[in-house]
Amino acid sequence: MSQKNILVLCTGNSCRSQIAEGYLRHFAGKSANVYSAGIETHGVNPKAIVVMAEDHIDISKHTSNHVNEYMGIPFDQVITVCDNANEACPFFPGKVERYHENFPDPAKATGTPEEVMDEFRRVRDLIKVYAADFVKHHIKG
């Protein structure tokens, strides 16, 4: 079975798409090449790095990339993880399967530092379940 090329797209490529990239890589192993990008680039959110490290996944070396950097890659699947990215998603040529799941943006969380981190963990866990399910049904299925 050939490797699939998967792109996870978000607005700023700082939280949700980075977390999804980390989990998709983790669950897919060698079955897929996973990339993430944004309609804009905001840098990888340090809190996203922290909550992923708590679950033993290192995304500290990830970079924040603009979607246009990947236009030359023949993607099999594009996953948008926020409504804004879904609406602004550029056209990808070829037989690209599109998937969409709107996750809350943990970077918009307010409250005490602990409450903010709890929101990051909550969103991380939602994305983890989605990524495991996605790999099971669309990559290894």
Side-chain angles (χ1 to χ4, degrees):
M1 186 168 74
S2 65
Q3 281 190 320
K4 291 193 172 182
N5 288 326
I6 302 170
L7 176 65
V8 186
L9 200 57
C10 197
T11 303
N13 195 213
S14 72
C15 295
R16 293 166 288 186
S17 51
Q18 295 287 350
I19 291 169
E21 177 186 353
Y23 279 128
L24 287 166
R25 281 186 175 178
H26 173 74
F27 293 124
K30 296 189 180 343
S31 308
N33 299 306
V34 183
Y35 304 83
S36 70
I39 309 296
E40 307 154 12
T41 52
H42 297 166
V44 183
N45 189 302
K47 293 183 183 80
I49 294 171
V50 169
V51 297
M52 288 299 280
E54 289 175 357
D55 199 26
H56 312 290
I57 294 183
D58 181 8
I59 63 165
S60 64
K61 305 226 175 1
H62 284 200
T63 53
S64 189
N65 299 84
H66 192 276
V67 63
N68 291 348
E69 295 175 48
Y70 295 134
M71 288 316 233
I73 296 172
F75 287 107
D76 298 294
Q77 293 155 325
V78 174
I79 306 168
T80 48
V81 291
C82 67
D83 286 343
N84 182 39
N86 188 39
E87 287 155 24
C89 185
F91 173 77
F92 289 93
K95 290 187 180 141
V96 178
E97 296 171 25
R98 294 247 329 239
Y99 299 90
H100 175 63
E101 186 71 35
N102 187 45
F103 292 103
D105 185 355
K108 290 190 165 75
T110 56
T112 66
E114 194 51 43
E115 288 167 334
V116 170
M117 289 309 288
D118 283 346
E119 178 64 3
F120 267 84
R121 290 182 191 104
R122 187 180 77 82
V123 173
R124 174 201 65 196
D125 293 347
L126 290 171
I127 293 172
K128 180 178 185 175
V129 169
Y130 177 85
D133 193 60
F134 188 89
V135 168
K136 189 171 131 191
H137 290 99
H138 302 292
I139 298 170
K140 293 188 170 174

